């Protein structure tokens, strides 16, 4: 088994997780300090806010389904922790964090799974994504 590395893609996901944590924590703390009805404001502050709230809720649910399915496919343990953690932090933190850990798992090598992009190190002559005239070499 090879050691997992922090690939550029994993670092992008990790940076997005940090941004998601800081931004949502700040706004959530501000809502608590002002004693706002967080869920009420999300749904009852007009059609635009309700639309954004509904949009994000549906994306979060789809993301949770993807998270569980992908974690099982790759043999990643404790995938439910990301979902539970999103209830006390934010999905904008836990989903990119999961993607960063997923990228590291893919770099370790999983039978039947491949990284989403081939790098110069992983390309071989004549393979898809390699110097075979497909424009991606």
């Amino acid at each position: 088994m090879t050691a997992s590395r922090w690939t550029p893609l994993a670092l992008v996901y990790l940076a997005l997780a940090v941004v998601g944590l800081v931004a949502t924590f700040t706004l959530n703390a501000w809502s608590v300090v002002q004693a706002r009805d967080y869920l009420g404001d999300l749904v009852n502050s007009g059609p635009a806010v309700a639309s954004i709230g509904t949009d994000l809720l549906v994306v979060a649910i789809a993301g949770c389904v993807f998270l569980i399915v992908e974690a099982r496919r790759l043999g990643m343990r404790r995938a439910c922790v990301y979902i539970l953690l999103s209830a006390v932090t934010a999905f904008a933190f836990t989903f990119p964090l999961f993607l960063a850990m997923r990228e590291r798992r893919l770099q370790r090598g999983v039978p039947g799974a491949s990284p989403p992009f081939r790098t110069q190190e992983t390309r071989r002559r004549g393979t898809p994504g390699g110097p075979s005239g497909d424009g991606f070499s």
Side-chain angles (χ1 to χ4, degrees), residues 15-31:
L16 286 170
V18 170
V19 168
L21 177 64
V22 171
T24 56
F25 179 80
T26 303
L27 293 169
N28 288 340
W30 189 11
S31 294

Side-chain angles (χ1 to χ4, degrees), residues 5 7-8 107 117-125:
R5 298 181 8 232
T7 64
Q107 287 301 313
F117 302 105
R118 290 184 179 257
T119 63
Q120 289 294 339
E121 304 150 5
T122 59
R123 289 184 187 149
R124 293 187 312 255
R125 182 166 294 285

Side-chain angles (χ1 to χ4, degrees), residues 3-18 66-67 70-71 73-79 81-82 85 93-110 115-116:
S4 61
R5 298 181 8 232
W6 285 99
T7 64
L9 185 58
L11 291 172
V12 167
Y13 290 142
L14 193 59
L16 286 170
V18 170
F66 170 77
L67 194 150
E70 187 70 356
R73 182 178 77 85
L74 298 177
M76 296 172 67
R77 297 184 191 147
R78 297 180 283 283
V81 170
Y82 294 102
L85 191 58
F93 163 59
T94 57
F95 188 63
L97 180 62
F98 167 77
L99 291 174
M101 297 301 116
R102 173 185 175 268
E103 180 65 17
R104 291 187 72 194
R105 176 70 175 168
L106 287 172
Q107 287 301 313
R108 267 195 268 155
V110 177

